[in-house]
Amino acid sequence: MRRLLLCVPLVAVLTGCPVDFQGWAGMKQQPKALPYRESGFFEDERAMRQPPPGTVPRSRRGQSRLFLTGREGPDAGSPDAGYLDEIPLTLTRETVERGGKSYEIYCATCHGILGDGASQVARNMGLREPPSLLDLPPYPDGYYFAVISEGYGLMPAYSEKLSPEQRWAVVAYVRALQASQRVRLEDVPPEARPLLLKGGTP
């Protein structure tokens, strides 16, 4: 009797699952929208949908809109809002080095290792060469963040490839590049000058 009672829930589960000749039909055979496929349900026939304006992924809860956009003021989500003047991260050597790794992967291809716009890709771009990051006007840090996030001209957006923290770290590295190309030898700490003159990294 006890064994019979244990089999009752199993029978109930099995009767609720459709079975085909190849085994369990499961979720693979149910109607669903696949990424990058057409969908007749929506007017634009795109299965992948844009999130509603102003929404924030669950993983970014607790982060301010200013941190996520680089813009400040009551209209921080608007392109017309002002840009944040300073990087909203605690700047450490590790932060700048992380930004340097992301820069070398995503940015140096066009803007050059030094940020001077000298690269093989830049030389082969006949329509418009990437600008030197060293000669730009004194834009605020939030401007750089917004350009990295949203793209500019021929430059694509990198918000899907880099997290907000990574994008701010890239901004920090760009600032380090700009400062390093304009620094005078007498501004370098005395203990670091010999290594710098040898071409090393202090």
Side-chain angles (χ1 to χ4, degrees):
M1 186 64 179
R2 187 176 299 173
R3 293 181 179 177
L4 181 60
L5 292 175
L6 291 175
C7 291
V8 171
L10 179 61
V11 173
V13 171
L14 293 177
T15 56
C17 298
V19 181
D20 60 10
F21 293 107
Q22 298 177 352
W24 299 106
M27 298 178 64
K28 290 185 177 181
Q29 297 182 4
Q30 70 176 355
K32 55 184 174 292
L34 299 175
Y36 304 104
R37 301 290 180 86
E38 295 182 358
S39 173
F41 183 81
F42 300 101
E43 292 183 1
D44 59 7
E45 298 181 350
R46 294 189 303 174
M48 298 177 69
R49 313 307 303 164
Q50 290 290 338
T55 56
V56 176
R58 182 181 300 176
S59 60
R60 298 179 187 172
R61 286 184 301 177
Q63 296 177 341
S64 67
R65 185 176 296 275
L66 183 147
F67 183 84
L68 297 174
T69 64
R71 295 185 173 95
E72 58 183 345
D75 299 326
S78 168
D80 298 327
Y83 292 104
L84 186 62
D85 288 328
E86 297 181 354
I87 299 172
L89 291 178
T90 300
L91 294 182
T92 62
R93 185 185 183 106
E94 290 74 19
T95 300
V96 177
E97 289 178 347
R98 286 198 303 270
K101 291 180 180 179
S102 297
Y103 177 90
E104 291 177 0
I105 294 172
Y106 296 103
C107 312
T109 305
C110 293
H111 291 288
I113 293 294
L114 299 178
D116 55 3
S119 70
Q120 187 62 43
V121 173
R123 286 191 288 270
N124 291 331
M125 293 181 67
L127 185 60
R128 182 178 180 182
E129 294 184 0
S132 167
L133 302 178
L134 310 178
D135 301 325
L136 293 176
Y139 294 123
D141 293 335
Y143 174 84
Y144 286 93
F145 181 86
V147 170
I148 295 171
S149 304
E150 304 164 12
Y152 186 87
L154 299 178
M155 174 181 165
Y158 288 95
S159 56
E160 294 185 359
K161 295 181 173 63
L162 297 171
S163 68
E165 291 83 359
Q166 289 174 313
R167 279 174 267 158
W168 282 118
V170 170
V171 176
Y173 184 75
V174 170
R175 290 305 198 196
L177 280 179
Q178 293 172 339
S180 68
Q181 300 305 305
R182 299 188 179 99
V183 70
R184 299 173 301 175
L185 183 61
E186 52 268 27
D187 296 329
V188 178
E191 62 274 13
R193 293 177 190 175
L195 185 60
L196 186 64
L197 293 173
K198 292 180 180 179
T201 302

